[in-house]
């Protein structure tokens, strides 16, 4: 694989973070690009986190939570699904390739599935290549776009 | 029985080649024997199919390419259909037979001759010509008595044409064979 | 059925020779059922089993030429063939050519490339799925009541399931149901998908004698009068070689081996010669002539308990 | 802020593929980091002491440990930090083992990744606040779902320990799969003789409330305070008055009802008590085969019932049970073996499951303990046992070993010889899995003393011929195809999670795998816990296991509950949401989205504000991502902290470039 790219993962603690742990325990080899941020629940994920991460220069963002109906907090992933789906459709409007962002569901027992998710998402981002870096000032400006996402909440 | 000197005789390139050509992972086999259990041809095999898989895992190229079993498999798909590990066993045997051919083995000469006769007939006529194929086979093997008892049964029914049903353009098919041989030489 | 059934038709080499009666009855039955078969122009041999035992690229190229020719036909919904061996070759080629790398290797051997756009099916599958036993039943003018058949599908009509994608791979029932629709009875026949010895008849006759012999034994022990099959090679092994089998195994089978299309043809009102019954080695004529009497006996037997019930 | 960073070697687990010294070195130059060091085993006694010493000596305000997953040792290190005198929440972890060293061998890339993860953890920790738990009171009742041997054991242990127990059983009797067994391995003691008394204990225990014919409908609440809605399914018999006399069964004219207790071998009456030792011993009506329900005419059971207990108009009843903990012990079912067309897929009556065979062996079973093959009721002389049907078979989506089939098959072979001395048993197996006290000896006895013929190989096909079942298999040790002409074929069908287990897992908010088994808290160290506080597992619900292991887990789960309830109050997790009153506009969107009802409306100086009830808040943070004002923040997972992690990562990239 070519040079490592910047991929950020937002994972819920109960399912997908556990799934990534299970993959590790099983020694399921994965590409090294991904950096995981642990969240309590996919419902904690504000679409702005994803947006700011992409605008801030990440090449890809992966969100993963519990399978629908299997949320540790009963319904957090339904909120996540609604918000993230809208976000995905919104990305092309502001000129971001929607392929740079995916959300998926992986349970704590699905180590192999996690390996597959990471591998295919990493391949997808490598196929898209690195993003054009945006300067810090425009980053701040872009963040103000956040108000556009107001209705998502 | 000979000792298989595992430290010295495992041909890893051979395993890799079979895996590449067949698209199968031979490590998936755990030797349950279901392939042999269902194989209708076990009674004529010198190596039952699960042992072929085992020898393949051990990289025993010579034993496999020289055996009769690779020629006697009819690709009936019983092994593939019932393998608990989803291994396409019939495909692996197919690949072993391709390799045996390429390396000049013809342990079941009759079977090989039949196949050769068939394909020669197709190359010449574009279609299989049953009467011609039988005569070619007899020519290759010298088995003049092959199915003579069937002649009085089948000939009066007008099923065996004395002349081939050629395609309009047999060169088109001959060209496929020609290009194939060129590819093989590359 | 509002839509006209129109297919590309691949007859297969044996249809010109040892299985002429299969070819003849297939065409007649399809016409009677409103299935239009458009011959693939200048079709050539699919390679059959010999080609794939030599090389998969060669095999796929020989089949692929026919796929590509069929794709040029207009208004056809699928490629049909009566022969399971041709079917397997055509389907395996189409399946393997989904891999672009392999497709490129095969196309390099061909004059024009395969686009892989048409599904490949057996005639049996098309009759079963596109016409169906329920539509066949009212068309039968002569029910074959009293005929006990061992339905023999052969080893590759349904296997391997992920490629053939038709019926159950251990206990297929399509032919059973079609036979029942025309009044015949499909007996229990557990070796529906066992191998008959395939093309080893010439080079290793002993194999066919053993395997086909077992099929005939099992059919007989389950009470079958005859075997019904969908495969030219199976039919030839069981029928033409039945004497060889009897001699080798010290048996005395005299069991007709029909093509299912012949029986459907008869039921649709065709004459024995229209479906090529005279081309079968073991003559079925005595058996067929005995059917009306059997049907009568069956009807009598069925009446009895009913009349009993009326009395009590 | 002064942060200390401790990078763990974990022996060679991390250090083998991550340059931990370099990671510690890189940490030294990160903002706020006052101390960084590598350590051999951070979790070991000297490792923890090293952290405590560093905190004290350097006057650190917080610590980052870069080692394994926080799901493993997060709480360990929080206690360490607390022992050093810091607030335990002034701590973060960087997972450089499961997420780095174990999933790749490229040491350069791994080291770079580990440094990033440490940088992110440091950036987050820099904004952590000390948090303080609150106490809340708990309801010391426990619900056990599933009345098999594991659930029974858990119920009795909890009840004996003084807890109030609510036992919920789906069918009309407790006993589970074990009640169906004739004998048990490796002692060949009678299953109902050892289980029966325990079932009676359940019925008679003053601390146990049993709801049979009942299922969990919904679960609300959290550890210490669950509300469980239980649906008591209509039995059409008033169980308060029914005495279990059985008069109704004697007179019921519908005698061809399906008999699930007997695994559909034989039939029962439409109104029935599943078996003589059933607990509760109460009748119930199978609507599908009851003539009264089908035609409106009959009503014989109502006429003969001496206590007038029959109630054709009975409806399902909903009750709510309040409990502090839940044990899921829902057991297993056999996988649907009809996917095996080669074994007849159910077409052949003389191919049966091991559980059906067990019912035949049982003296209280439908054949009165006589082995009779279903097709013609004749006694079979040749019996073939096929192992691994739906186990270790990827082609049917069952790659795992069920684990107990080898043992019960050996038992059944032994019992077969006892029942029919002139019989012959053949066992087709792949490997004999008999680890356990006296287990392997037991399988050897089946062969050595009882003459069972063990044949190593799978069976490719079973088919009927001339009144026999032809079993075509292989003897891989002889290298030959083999055929057996059998009278009866018994399939050792593999186990999967009980029907409905996935739906229950979703209600309990616990994880489950694709086979319906519940996921334990940790595969080694938390075998009966789940990741949901207050929910525990026992028996085959967690994965296939034999009776001793199920009983052990039942006791283990009970011990966990007893220990949880040993305190009168629990400490809440203080990582809860907190409202910034200055920013809150009182829109109350947070309260609408909160799944736990943990946010209430309050008035502060005449203005409506949101207020979090800290002991109810579970810390999911859905409110935080809902609030547009950023007024409600999940503590230690604030917007600023998460963005700080992102920025720490992305800025490191810019600096490199």
């Amino acid at each position: 694989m070519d040079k490592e790219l910047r991929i950020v993962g937002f994972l819920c603690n109960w399912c997908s973070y556990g799934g990534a742990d299970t993959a590790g325990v099983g020694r399921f080899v994965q590409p090294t690009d991904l950096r995981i941020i642990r969240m309590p629940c996919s419902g904690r994920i504000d679409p702005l986190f994803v947006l700011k991460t992409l605008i801030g220069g990440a090449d890809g963002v992966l969100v993963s939570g519990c399978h629908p109906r299997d949320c540790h907090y009963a319904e957090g992933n339904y909120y996540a699904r609604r918000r993230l789906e809208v976000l995905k459709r919104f990305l092309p409007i502001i000129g971001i390739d929607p392929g740079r962002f995916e959300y998926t569901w992986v349970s704590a027992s699905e180590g192999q599935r996690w390996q597959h998710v990471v591998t295919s998402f990493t391949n997808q981002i490598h196929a898209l290549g690195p993003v054009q870096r945006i300067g810090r000032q425009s980053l701040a400006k872009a963040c103000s776009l956040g108000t556009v996402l107001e209705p998502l909440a | 029985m000979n000792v298989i000197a595992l430290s010295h005789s495992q041909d890893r390139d051979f395993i890799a080649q079979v895996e590449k050509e067949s698209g199968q992972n031979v490590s998936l086999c755990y030797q349950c024997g279901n392939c042999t259990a269902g194989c209708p041809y076990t009674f004529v095999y010198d190596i039952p199919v699960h042992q072929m898989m085992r020898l393949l895992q051990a990289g025993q190229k010579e034993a496999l390419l020289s055996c009769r079993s690779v020629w006697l498999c009819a690709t009936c798909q019983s092994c593939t259909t019932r393998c608990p590990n989803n291994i396409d066993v019939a495909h692996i045997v197919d690949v072993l037979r391709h390799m045996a051919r390429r390396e000049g083995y013809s342990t079941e000469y009759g079977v090989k001759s039949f196949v050769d006769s068939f394909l020669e007939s197709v190359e010449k006529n574009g279609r299989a010509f049953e009467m011609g194929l039988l005569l070619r086979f007899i020519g290759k093997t010298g088995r003049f008595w092959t199915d003579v008892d069937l002649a009085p049964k089948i000939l009066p029914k007008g099923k065996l044409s004395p002349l081939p049903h050629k395609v309009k353009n047999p060169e088109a098919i001959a060209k496929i064979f020609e290009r194939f041989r060129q590819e093989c030489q590359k | 059925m509002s839509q006209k059934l129109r297919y590309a038709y691949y007859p297969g080499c044996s249809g010109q020779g040892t299985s002429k009666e299969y070819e003849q009855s297939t065409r007649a039955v399809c016409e009677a059922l409103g299935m239009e078969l458009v011959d693939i122009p200048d079709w050539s041999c699919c390679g059959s089993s010999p080609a794939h035992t030599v090389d998969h690229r060669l095999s796929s190229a020989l089949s692929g030429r026919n796929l590509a020719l069929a794709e040029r036909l207009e208004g056809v919904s699928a490629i049909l063939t009566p022969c399971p061996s041709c079917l397997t070759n055509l389907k395996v080629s189409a399946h393997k050519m989904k891999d672009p790398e392999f497709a490129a290797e095969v196309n390099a051997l061909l004059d024009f490339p395969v686009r892989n756009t048409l599904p490949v099916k057996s005639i049996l599958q098309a009759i079963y799925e596109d016409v169906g036993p329920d539509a066949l039943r009212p068309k039968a003018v002569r029910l074959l009541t009293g005929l006990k058949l061992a339905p023999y599908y052969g080893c590759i009509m349904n296997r391997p399931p992920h490629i053939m994608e038709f019926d159950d791979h251990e206990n297929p029932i399509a032919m059973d149901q079609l036979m029942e629709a025309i009044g015949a009875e499909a007996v229990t026949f557990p070796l529906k998908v066992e191998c008959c010895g395939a093309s080893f008849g010439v080079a290793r006759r002993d194999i066919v004698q053993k395997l086909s012999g077992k099929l005939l034994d099992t059919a007989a022990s389950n009470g079958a009068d005859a075997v019904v099959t969908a495969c030219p090679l199976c039919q030839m092994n069981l029928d033409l070689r039945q004497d060889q089998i009897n001699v080798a195994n010290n048996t005395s089978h005299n069991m007709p081996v029909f093509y299912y299309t012949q029986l459907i043809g008869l039921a649709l009102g065709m004459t024995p010669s229209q479906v090529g019954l005279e081309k079968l080695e073991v003559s079925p004529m005595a058996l067929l002539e005995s059917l009306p009497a059997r049907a009568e006996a069956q009807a009598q037997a069925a009446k009895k308990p009913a009349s009993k019930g009326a009395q009590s | 802020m002064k942060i200390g960073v401790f990078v763990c070697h974990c022996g060679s687990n991390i250090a083998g593929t991550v340059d931990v010294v370099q990671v510690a070195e890189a940490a030294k130059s990160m903002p706020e980091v006052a101390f960084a060091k590598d350590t051999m085993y951070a979790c070991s006694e000297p490792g923890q002491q090293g952290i405590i010493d560093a905190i004290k000596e350097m006057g650190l305000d917080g610590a980052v440990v870069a080692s394994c997953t926080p799901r493993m040792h997060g709480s360990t290190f929080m206690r360490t930090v607390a022992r050093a005198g810091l607030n335990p929440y002034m701590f973060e972890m960087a997972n450089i083992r499961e997420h780095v060293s174990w999933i790749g061998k490229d040491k350069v890339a791994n080291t770079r990744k580990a440094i990033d993860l440490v940088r992110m953890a440091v950036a987050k920790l820099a904004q952590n606040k000390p948090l303080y738990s609150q106490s809340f009171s708990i309801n010391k009742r426990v619900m056990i779902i599933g009345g098999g041997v594991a659930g029974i054991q858990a119920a009795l242990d909890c009840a004996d320990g003084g807890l109030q127990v609510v036992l919920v059983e789906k069918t009309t009797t407790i006993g589970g799969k074990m009640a169906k067994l004739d004998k048990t391995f490796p002692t060949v003691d009678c299953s109902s003789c050892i289980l029966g008394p325990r079932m009676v204990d359940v019925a008679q225990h003053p601390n146990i409330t049993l709801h049979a014919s009942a299922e969990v409908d919904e679960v609300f609440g959290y550890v210490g305070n669950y509300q469980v809605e239980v649906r008591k399914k209509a039995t059409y018999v008033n169980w308060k008055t029914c005495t279990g006399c059985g008069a109704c069964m004697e007179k019921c004219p519908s005698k061809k009802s399906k008999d699930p207790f007997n695994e559909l071998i034989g039939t029962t009456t439409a109104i029935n008590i599943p078996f003589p030792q059933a607990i509760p011993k109460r009748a119930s009506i199978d609507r599908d085969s009851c003539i009264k329900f089908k035609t409106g005419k009959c009503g014989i059971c109502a006429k003969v019932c001496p206590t007038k207990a029959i109630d054709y108009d009975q409806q399902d009843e909903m009750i709510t049970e309040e409990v502090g903990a839940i044990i899921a012990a829902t057991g297993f079912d056999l996988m649907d073996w009809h996917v095996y067309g080669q074994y007849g897929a159910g077409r052949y009556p003389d191919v049966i499951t091991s559980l059906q065979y067990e019912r035949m062996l049982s003296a209280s079973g439908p054949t009165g303990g006589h082995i009779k093959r279903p097709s013609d009721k004749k006694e079979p002389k040749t019996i073939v046992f096929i192992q691994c049907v739906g186990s270790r078979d990827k082609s049917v989506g069952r790659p795992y070993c069920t684990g107990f089939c080898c043992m019960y098959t050996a038992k059944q072979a032994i019992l077969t010889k006892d029942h029919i001395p002139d019989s012959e048993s053949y066992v087709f197996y792949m490997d004999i899995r008999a680890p356990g006290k006296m287990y392997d000896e037991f399988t050897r006895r089946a062969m050595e003393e009882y003459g069972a013929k063990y044949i190593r190989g799978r069976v490719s096909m079973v088919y009927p011929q001339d009144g026999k079942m032809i079993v075509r298999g292989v003897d891989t040790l002889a290298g030959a195809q083999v055929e057996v002409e059998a009278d009866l074929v018994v399939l050792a069908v593999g186990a999967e999670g009980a029907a409905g287990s996935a739906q229950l897992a979703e209600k309990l908010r616990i994880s489950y795998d694709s086979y319906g088994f519940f996921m334990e808290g940790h595969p080694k160290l938390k075998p009966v816990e789940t990741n949901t506080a207050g929910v525990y597992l026992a028996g085959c619900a967690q994965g296939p296991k034999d009776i001793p292991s199920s009983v052990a887990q039942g006791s283990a789960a009970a011990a966990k509950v007893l220990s949880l309830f040993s305190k009168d109050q629990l400490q809440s997790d203080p990582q809860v949401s907190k409202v910034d009153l200055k920013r809150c506009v009182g829109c109350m969107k947070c309260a609408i989205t909160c799944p736990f009802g943990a946010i209430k409306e309050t008035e502060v100086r005449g203005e409506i504000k949101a207020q979090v009830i800290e002991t109810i808040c579970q810390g999911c943070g859905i409110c935080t991502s809902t609030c547009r004002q950023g007024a409600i923040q999940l503590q230690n997972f604030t917007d600023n902290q998460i963005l700080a992690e992102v920025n720490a990562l992305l800025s490191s990239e810019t600096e490199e470039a």
Side-chain angles (χ1 to χ4, degrees), chain D residues 403-414:
Chain D
F404 49 64
C405 315
C406 286
M407 291 304 296
Y408 74 62
T409 298
K411 175 196 72 181
Q412 292 182 338
I414 286 173

Side-chain angles (χ1 to χ4, degrees), chain D residues 400-455:
Chain D
Y400 54 90
C401 171
T402 294
F404 49 64
C405 315
C406 286
M407 291 304 296
Y408 74 62
T409 298
K411 175 196 72 181
Q412 292 182 338
I414 286 173
L415 293 175
T416 302
K417 198 73 177 174
D418 278 344
H419 279 67
I420 313 171
D422 62 340
S423 65
E424 277 219 89
S425 290
Y426 294 87
V427 179
F428 283 90
Y429 72 101
M430 289 202 291
D431 299 288
I432 297 174
R433 304 215 157 151
K437 217 181 213 178
M438 298 301 288
Y439 279 20
D440 198 62
E441 296 92 318
F442 184 72
T443 63
R444 292 304 314 162
R445 274 176 63 206
M447 291 173 245
E448 293 163 6
E449 288 174 36
Y450 291 85
K453 307 259 186 307
Y454 271 65
I455 301 169

Side-chain angles (χ1 to χ4, degrees), chain A residues 13-14 21 35 43-44 83, chain D residues 69 71 531 625-626 637 639:
Chain A
N13 175 56
W14 301 99
D21 285 351
R35 309 284 185 266
R44 169 69 188 92
R83 293 166 178 168
Chain D
T69 170
R71 288 161 54 95
N531 284 326
S625 52
T626 303
F637 280 100
D639 289 345

Side-chain angles (χ1 to χ4, degrees), chain C residues 219-270:
Chain C
S221 80
N222 281 293
D225 306 315
V227 176
V228 60
T229 180
C231 171
L233 194 51
C234 301
Q235 198 278 343
M236 185 166 76
N237 281 339
L238 292 168
D239 182 38
L240 187 62
R241 294 187 185 278
Q242 204 170 104
D243 273 354
Q244 291 179 348
I245 291 166
N246 280 333
V247 170
N249 301 352
N250 197 16
T251 52
S252 54
H253 293 297
N254 183 33
M255 185 171 285
V257 184
F258 295 103
Y259 289 105
Y260 75 101
T261 44
Q262 291 180 302
L263 294 174
I264 294 179
L266 286 178
L268 294 176
M270 296 171 196

Side-chain angles (χ1 to χ4, degrees), chain D residues 67-380:
Chain D
S67 60
C68 50
T69 170
R71 288 161 54 95
M72 171 92 182
H73 272 316
S75 54
T76 309
F77 292 120
M78 284 170 77
R79 285 195 299 272
T80 311
V81 171
R83 287 215 305 278
L86 295 183
N87 181 282
Y89 293 89
M90 297 307 288
F91 162 77
E92 287 295 331
M93 237 172 141
N95 183 349
I96 62 169
R97 193 176 74 173
E98 283 82 350
H99 292 190
V100 182
S101 71
W102 275 352
I103 58 167
K105 292 202 164 61
D106 180 343
K107 199 164 185 171
V108 174
N110 281 355
T111 304
R112 194 162 56 220
K113 183 171 178 181
I115 292 171
D116 278 347
L117 293 181
V118 170
R119 190 193 315 279
M120 290 155 74
V122 166
K124 185 178 180 211
L125 177 61
Q127 300 190 41
N128 269 18
K129 298 271 180 305
L131 302 177
Y132 302 94
S133 298
Q134 290 201 355
S135 299
F136 64 97
S137 57
I138 54 175
N139 183 343
K140 293 188 183 182
R141 296 178 87 222
V142 56
M143 174 173 286
I144 292 157
I145 307 170
V149 68
I152 289 172
Q153 183 73 22
L156 290 172
D157 284 358
C158 286
D160 288 346
L163 301 182
Q164 289 295 317
V165 176
V166 181
L167 179 57
V168 178
E169 164 59 41
K170 178 164 72 172
T171 68
T172 58
T173 174
I174 59 170
K177 294 288 186 290
M178 187 178 168
K180 300 186 181 198
L181 305 182
D182 177 38
K183 303 283 195 308
T184 57
F185 58 78
T187 45
V188 201
D189 44 354
C190 158
S191 186
S192 59
C193 308
I194 50 180
L195 182 66
R198 316 241 56 196
M199 290 166 62
V200 173
D201 289 349
V202 168
Q204 295 179 343
H205 206 295
N207 288 353
I208 299 179
T209 307
L210 171 60
H211 299 305
S213 185
E215 285 187 73
V216 168
D217 230 42
E218 284 205 77
V219 180
F220 303 100
Y222 49 91
V223 58
N225 295 284
Y226 284 110
Q227 297 90 44
V228 186
E229 289 195 354
V230 176
R231 175 184 298 272
K232 297 187 79 173
K233 296 177 288 184
T235 58
Y236 309 106
V237 177
N238 182 346
W239 280 8
K240 291 196 181 80
T241 46
C242 174
T243 60
C245 70
C248 52
M249 282 180 81
E250 276 171 35
K251 294 288 190 286
C252 175
S254 175
K255 299 195 187 303
K256 298 271 180 201
S257 303
K258 281 185 183 169
D259 189 353
F261 182 78
N262 282 317
E263 294 290 312
L264 310 183
I265 292 257
T267 52
T268 184
T269 44
I271 184 163
N272 68 77
I273 300 168
F275 60 107
Q277 298 87 0
I279 297 285
K281 197 172 181 187
R282 297 286 182 268
S284 60
I285 295 177
D286 169 14
R287 267 188 87 115
D288 295 337
S289 49
C290 172
I291 298 169
K292 176 77 176 173
F293 278 105
K294 284 198 294 190
T295 68
K297 297 179 192 124
C298 187
I300 291 176
C301 50
K303 285 185 200 118
V304 300
C305 177
T307 61
K308 303 288 169 224
I310 312 296
D311 175 7
Y312 298 116
D313 299 321
Q314 196 179 68
Q315 302 290 319
D316 289 4
E317 184 193 349
M318 298 300 302
I319 54 170
T320 302
E321 291 284 3
E322 302 205 330
V323 296
I326 299 170
I327 298 174
T330 46
F332 72 98
D333 276 323
L334 299 186
M335 64 91 68
D336 179 11
W337 70 275
H338 293 94
V339 295
Y340 285 92
Q342 60 268 49
Y343 301 156
R347 291 195 303 283
Y348 309 136
D350 294 334
V351 178
I352 63 172
T353 70
S354 47
L355 210 47
Q356 290 177 321
Y357 194 61
E358 203 70 46
R359 291 313 299 149
M360 267 189 206
L361 292 169
S362 167
S364 63
T367 57
H370 299 290
I371 304 171
K372 291 175 182 173
R373 65 180 204 164
S375 64
D376 54 11
K377 311 293 176 211
K378 283 190 187 146
E379 187 177 78

